[in-house]
């Protein structure tokens, strides 16, 4: 929980506000205490929305919906002021973690715990449905685990089953990974059966620690939800597996109702205890409950009453309110988070400011992370060497090891450090996905040069800049290189699922854009992860007259494909994803690696544009720069240009001002030109071509963006 800000009220609706639990694009959620000492989570709407008549209708509907639900397993509404000048809604405060946090910290739950959880939440949903409502956002973040058991929260997107929707036609409401197929398509009215499907996803997550339809880019996740069976391989208990299979049926009519689930599940919570949960989860709940004892009491005088002394700066309370903060949560594609618009780096030492680097320096992409750190340091060194510099700079580096949990801790440290004005990183997609909400809440600019995921399942990314073409954007220059040539009519695409989501999306979109935008054709093949004998697949590709070849997968799979292809009479162009460019590919493929090419977002060290940078790198580090170093150098330069334009005399710019300046930038770097479009994504499809020549990787030159 955060301390209150100067602009926050001290009291609202008879609640003394003790601190911030979370914030959203429509308002903030506070921890409040009534005069009799009762704690509540109080959602307060921003003034700019309070005057919107349509918004008041939606907020009034939320309050009315929540009040109609009568269940001990759904959070109870304790008060509301929907017609007040600043509308508010108070709910009972549950001092416990969200289910998502409990699984992340303590691991998957045993089968019995999952069954008990399922029965209690089914009872909560049965009450929701009995009230004529559909929740529409059942997910682990909307279930709090308290000393009295679980509580279903957040009716912000609930709607009456017979109501006219207040959202746009076709809008996907809910959270990807927990959506029913009928929700994922956005084309059907979602009924109570959609909540049952979402509950099935939630219980599968609780039992395995992973989503039943995987993770990654939203569009791919929604596709799998609609078309592919759930992955229940981690559910070893036969009874639970059968139950989840029924709940996750694609046909809404085939799923059991919430009321039927209550009767179908035999397990129950004895005497309302939480002994059915593992000991480490119980301890986590107990720790959260114990922290409420540290909260301040109720003052006799309201701090904001006329004539009362101005409130002192509130101290940061030690309540770990991650679970309660979920009360502020909304739905994917419905709400966005409110961010701090006046964090100004006020703690920065006059004349010396900080750029952060969050990178994987000890995990699977440590080489890329180290290259990016060095690129940023060289950019800062160059800036500090200027005789006319308006201020000095320093670099602060945090290693997240490529682990999402460590990435969150690093992001929280940067967000709290008011000296840090912008951060370059993280290195990979999972770490980036984990931290976007933290940086956006702090309105701290975050610039990544190597997280290439097409989209991220978070509510808002206003502070995030993807300064690299996505995996999907790179499909266009790949198409240009392989297909837009007179000697190619059909592109053979081999997708190796060992390459993960990135490989799947690259292969999928390459296949799609070739068919949609050229007169060429494709022949795609997908092989399961771990497939070692590629000879039948390659033979099939060639038998279908593939005269160009693209491999979407990892280094080991690409090496096998290279050796297999070399054993045939095929002489046409061959290409793999840029992530294949590593020592293992050269070693495993041997002579078969010769002439393979790679479309990459990274410029080569021999490019004329990086000559001075490469010399400075060799001088400082005794070696040529690795891939991603020049791009990180550019990212730091982009930030520095915006920082210089926004800085005042002896005072750094507000973080929000810096974000606005970066978003409007047109920056000429050594690796590419940087301008940002919708969602602060890099505009254009310009990339770089590399190839194996003489047994080593060579830079072959830039690839211009296509005009179509």
């Amino acid at each position: 929980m955060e301390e209150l800000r100067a602009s926050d009220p001290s009291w609202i609706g008879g609640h003394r506000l003790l601190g911030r639990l979370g914030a959203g694009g429509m308002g903030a959620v506070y921890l409040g205490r009534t005069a009799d000492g009762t704690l509540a989570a109080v959602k307060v709407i921003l003034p700019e929305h309070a005057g919107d008549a349509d918004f008041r209708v939606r907020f009034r509907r939320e309050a009315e919906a929540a009040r109609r639900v009568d269940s001990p397993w759904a959070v109870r509404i304790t008060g509301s002021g929907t017609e007040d000048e600043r509308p508010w809604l108070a709910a009972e405060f549950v001092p416990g973690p969200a289910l998502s946090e409990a699984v992340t910290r303590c691991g998957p739950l045993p089968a019995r715990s999952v069954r008990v959880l399922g029965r209690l939440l089914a009872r909560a949903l049965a009450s929701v449905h009995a009230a004529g409502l559909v929740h529409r956002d059942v997910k682990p973040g909307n279930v709090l685990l308290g000393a009295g058991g679980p509580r279903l929260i957040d009716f912000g997107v609930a709607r009456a089953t017979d109501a006219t929707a207040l959202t746009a036609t076709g809008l996907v409401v809910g959270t990807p990974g927990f959506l029913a197929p009928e929700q994922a398509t956005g084309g059907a009215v979602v009924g109570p059966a959609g909540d049952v499907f979402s509950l099935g996803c939630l219980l599968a997550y609780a039992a395995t620690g992973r989503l039943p339809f995987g993770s990654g880019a939203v569009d791919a996740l929604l596709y799998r939800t609609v078309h592919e069976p759930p992955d229940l391989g981690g559910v070893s208990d036969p009874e639970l597996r059968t139950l989840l299979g029924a709940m996750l049926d694609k046909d809404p009519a085939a799923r059991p109702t919430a009321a039927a689930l209550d009767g179908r599940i035999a397990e129950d919570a004895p005497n309302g205890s939480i002994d059915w949960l593992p000991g480490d989860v119980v301890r986590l709940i107990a720790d959260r409950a114990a922290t409420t004892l540290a909260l301040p009491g109720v003052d006799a005088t309201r701090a904001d009453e006329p004539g009362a002394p101005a409130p002192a700066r509130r101290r940061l309370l030690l309540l770990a309110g991650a679970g309660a903060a979920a009360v502020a949560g909304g739905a994917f594609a419905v709400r966005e988070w409110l961010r701090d618009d006046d964090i100004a780096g006020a703690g920065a030492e006059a004349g010396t400011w900080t750029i952060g680097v969050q990178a994987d320096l000890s995990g699977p992409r440590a080489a890329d992370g180290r290259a990016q750190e060095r690129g940023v340091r060289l950019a800062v060194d160059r800036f500090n060497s200027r005789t006319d510099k308006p201020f000095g700079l320093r670099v602060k580096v945090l290693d997240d090891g490529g682990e999402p949990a460590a990435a969150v801790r690093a992001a929280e440290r940067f967000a709290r450090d008011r000296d840090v004005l912008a951060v370059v990183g993280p290195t990979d997609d999972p770490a980036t996905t984990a931290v976007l909400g933290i940086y956006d809440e702090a309105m701290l600019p975050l610039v990544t040069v190597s997280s290439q995921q097409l989209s991220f399942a978070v509510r808002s990314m206003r502070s995030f800049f993807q300064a690299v073409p996505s995996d999907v954007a790179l499909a266009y220059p790949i198409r240009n290189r392989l297909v837009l040539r007179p000697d190619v009519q059909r592109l053979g695409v081999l997708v190796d699922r060992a390459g993960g989501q990135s490989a799947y999306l690259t292969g999928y979109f390459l296949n799609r854009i070739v068919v949609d935008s050229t007169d060429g054709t494709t022949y795609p093949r997908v092989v399961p992860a771990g497939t070692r004998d590629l000879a039948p697949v390659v033979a099939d590709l060639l038998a279908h007259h593939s005269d160009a070849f693209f491999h979407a997968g990892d280094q080991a799979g690409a090496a096998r494909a290279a050796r297999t292809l070399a054993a045939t009479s095929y002489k046409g162009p061959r290409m793999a994803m840029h992530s294949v460019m590593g020592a293992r590919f050269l070693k495993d493929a041997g002579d078969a690696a010769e002439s393979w090419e790679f479309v990459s977002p990274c410029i080569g060290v021999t490019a004329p544009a990086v000559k001075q940078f490469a010399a400075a790198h060799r001088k400082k580090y005794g070696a040529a720069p690795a891939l991603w170093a020049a791009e990180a150098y550019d990212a730091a330069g982009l930030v520095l240009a915006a920082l210089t334009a926004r800085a005042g005399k002896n005072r750094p710019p507000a973080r929000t001002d810096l974000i606005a300046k970066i978003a409007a930038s047109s920056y000429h770097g050594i690796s590419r030109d940087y301008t940002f479009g919708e969602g602060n994504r890099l505009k254009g499809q310009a990339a770089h071509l590399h190839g194996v020549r003489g047994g080593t990787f060579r830079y072959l030159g830039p690839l211009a963006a296509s005009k179509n």
Side-chain angles (χ1 to χ4, degrees):
M1 184 172 69
E2 298 179 15
E3 62 185 353
L4 293 176
R5 299 171 184 169
S7 58
D8 287 331
S10 298
W11 288 79
I12 195 156
H15 298 82
R16 180 197 171 190
L17 304 186
L18 306 176
R20 279 178 164 245
L21 295 176
M26 300 301 144
V29 178
Y30 303 94
L31 178 62
R33 193 196 291 275
T34 62
D36 64 2
T38 303
L39 293 173
V42 186
K43 180 185 291 188
V44 182
I45 301 307
L46 289 172
E48 53 263 40
H49 299 300
D52 183 336
D54 289 339
F55 177 80
R56 278 190 178 266
V57 170
R58 291 193 295 271
F59 188 68
R60 189 181 305 117
R61 184 187 68 180
E62 175 180 350
E64 292 171 352
R67 284 185 179 280
R68 287 159 61 183
V69 178
D70 182 17
S71 171
W73 313 117
V75 71
R76 181 173 54 88
I77 299 303
T78 59
S80 64
T82 58
E83 309 306 321
D84 289 5
E85 182 178 356
R86 291 195 64 178
W88 59 275
L89 180 67
E92 64 173 315
F93 174 65
V94 181
L99 175 63
S100 52
E101 182 189 358
V103 172
T104 299
R105 287 177 175 264
C106 305
L109 302 181
R112 176 175 179 268
S113 298
V114 175
R115 285 195 292 268
V116 174
L117 178 68
R119 187 171 196 182
L120 300 182
L121 293 179
R123 290 173 178 172
L125 282 178
S127 295
V128 171
H129 300 160
L133 301 170
V134 183
H135 189 284
R136 300 201 298 171
D137 198 22
V138 178
K139 61 182 179 181
N142 277 343
V143 174
L144 301 183
L145 300 178
R151 297 290 190 279
L152 179 66
I153 66 170
D154 198 353
F155 296 86
V157 293
R159 60 170 290 198
T161 53
D162 59 351
T164 300
L166 294 179
T167 52
T169 302
L171 186 64
V172 178
V173 179
T175 301
F178 301 94
L179 294 171
E182 59 269 28
Q183 278 178 289
T185 59
V189 175
V190 179
D195 284 345
V196 171
F197 189 96
S198 298
L199 179 59
C201 294
L202 178 151
L203 296 178
Y205 168 81
T208 65
R210 63 177 188 266
L211 304 182
F213 297 99
S215 57
V218 172
D219 49 0
L221 183 53
L222 297 181
Y223 179 88
R224 291 194 297 271
T225 301
V226 175
H227 298 288
E228 297 184 7
D231 176 12
L232 300 177
V235 182
S236 58
D237 183 85
E239 180 184 347
L240 180 59
R241 189 184 181 101
T242 299
L243 177 70
L244 295 178
M247 297 172 71
L248 296 175
D249 197 294
K250 303 294 186 190
D251 181 5
R255 299 170 204 150
T257 65
L261 285 173
D262 185 12
R264 183 168 174 172
I265 302 173
E267 301 283 358
D268 204 352
N271 303 319
S273 72
I274 55 173
D275 292 343
W276 49 275
L277 286 168
D280 49 357
V281 177
V282 173
R283 285 189 291 273
L284 179 61
I285 294 171
D287 289 344
R288 292 295 168 81
T291 57
T292 60
L293 298 176
L295 295 173
V298 179
D299 293 342
T301 304
R302 295 187 180 186
D304 54 355
E305 286 180 341
R313 183 72 174 171
R314 278 84 170 177
R315 63 184 178 90
L316 180 64
L317 302 179
L318 298 179
L319 177 63
V327 178
F332 164 70
V334 176
R335 305 181 190 174
E336 61 175 1
W337 292 112
L338 168 71
R339 305 302 170 207
D340 182 359
D341 285 334
D342 30 54
I343 296 176
E349 175 186 335
T352 304
W353 307 331
T354 303
I355 290 182
V357 176
Q358 179 174 341
D360 177 1
L361 301 179
S362 58
R365 293 191 64 177
D368 296 338
R370 184 64 64 190
Q372 292 178 30
E373 177 196 351
R374 290 178 172 182
V376 173
R377 288 192 183 280
L378 284 170
V380 170
D381 287 351
R382 183 173 182 271
F383 182 86
N384 284 337
S385 69
R386 290 171 45 183
T387 58
D388 63 339
K389 64 180 181 293
F391 48 82
L393 279 172
R394 57 190 168 213
V395 179
K396 180 177 180 178
V397 180
L398 294 178
D399 174 22
D400 61 27
E403 291 288 338
V408 167
R409 292 192 293 271
E412 289 173 340
R413 286 181 61 186
F414 274 137
R416 290 193 301 266
D417 189 342
R418 300 306 175 93
D419 291 359
V420 178
L421 300 184
V423 175
V424 175
T427 311
D428 60 7
D429 293 336
T432 300
T433 301
V435 303
L436 287 180
I438 296 168
Y439 282 107
D440 217 46
E441 174 71 21
M443 281 305 275
L444 177 58
L446 180 68
V447 184
T448 183
V449 298
S450 56
S451 291
Q452 295 180 258
Q453 190 165 298
L454 174 63
S455 57
F456 296 86
V458 295
R459 296 174 178 85
S460 177
M461 299 185 296
R462 288 182 291 173
S463 67
F464 175 58
F465 296 88
Q466 194 174 24
V468 60
S470 70
D471 293 313
V472 171
L474 287 181
Y476 289 90
I478 292 171
R479 173 204 63 183
N480 299 350
R481 179 69 177 176
L482 287 179
V483 180
L484 300 185
R485 47 194 293 169
D487 58 334
V488 172
Q489 289 299 316
R490 173 165 290 183
L491 173 64
V493 181
L494 196 164
V495 178
D496 187 340
R497 295 306 293 262
Q501 192 65 25
S502 176
Y504 180 82
L505 282 177
T506 301
Y508 172 81
F509 277 95
L510 177 60
N511 177 72
R512 178 175 170 179
I513 65 172
V514 168
V515 173
D516 290 348
S517 64
T518 77
D519 58 2
T521 59
T522 64
Y523 186 70
R525 285 291 305 269
V526 179
V527 300
T531 302
R532 302 194 63 82
D533 183 9
L534 295 178
V537 180
V538 170
D540 184 46
L541 287 164
L542 299 182
H544 283 81
H545 309 292
S546 299
D547 40 24
F549 184 90
F550 182 80
H551 181 273
D554 61 4
Q555 289 191 54
R560 286 193 291 271
R563 293 196 307 271
T564 304
L565 203 58
T568 71
S569 60
Y570 177 80
K571 302 298 181 185
R574 61 206 73 194
M575 183 179 288
M577 295 174 61
H578 67 90
S579 54
V580 166
M581 290 195 300
R584 181 174 182 179
F585 175 73
L586 293 179
K587 178 182 177 182
D588 290 356
D591 293 341
E594 193 66 22
S595 80
W596 277 71
E597 293 183 347
F598 314 88
V599 170
S600 171
C602 302
I603 195 168
V605 65
T606 59
V610 303
K611 183 178 180 180
Q612 291 184 345
F613 168 75
H617 193 285
R618 288 189 182 94
K619 181 178 180 180
K620 181 165 185 172
Y621 297 110
L627 295 179
W628 300 112
E631 287 69 31
Y633 178 87
D634 279 349
L638 170 72
V639 170
L640 290 175
L643 192 58
T644 303
R646 287 292 190 181
K649 185 177 181 181
N650 293 326
R651 179 174 175 80
R655 288 175 172 177
T656 47
D657 288 343
L658 187 56
I659 289 170
K661 184 62 179 178
I662 295 173
S665 292
S666 179
Y667 181 76
H668 179 66
I670 61 174
S671 63
R672 61 166 38 86
D673 290 334
Y674 293 83
T675 56
F676 296 96
E678 183 180 356
N680 290 341
R681 292 186 178 90
L682 183 70
K683 283 186 177 180
Q685 302 152 4
H688 300 278
L689 184 66
H690 301 253
V692 179
R693 302 293 186 268
T696 190
F697 296 109
R698 304 285 185 185
Y699 178 61
L700 304 181
L703 291 172
S706 62
K707 294 183 179 180
N708 61 343

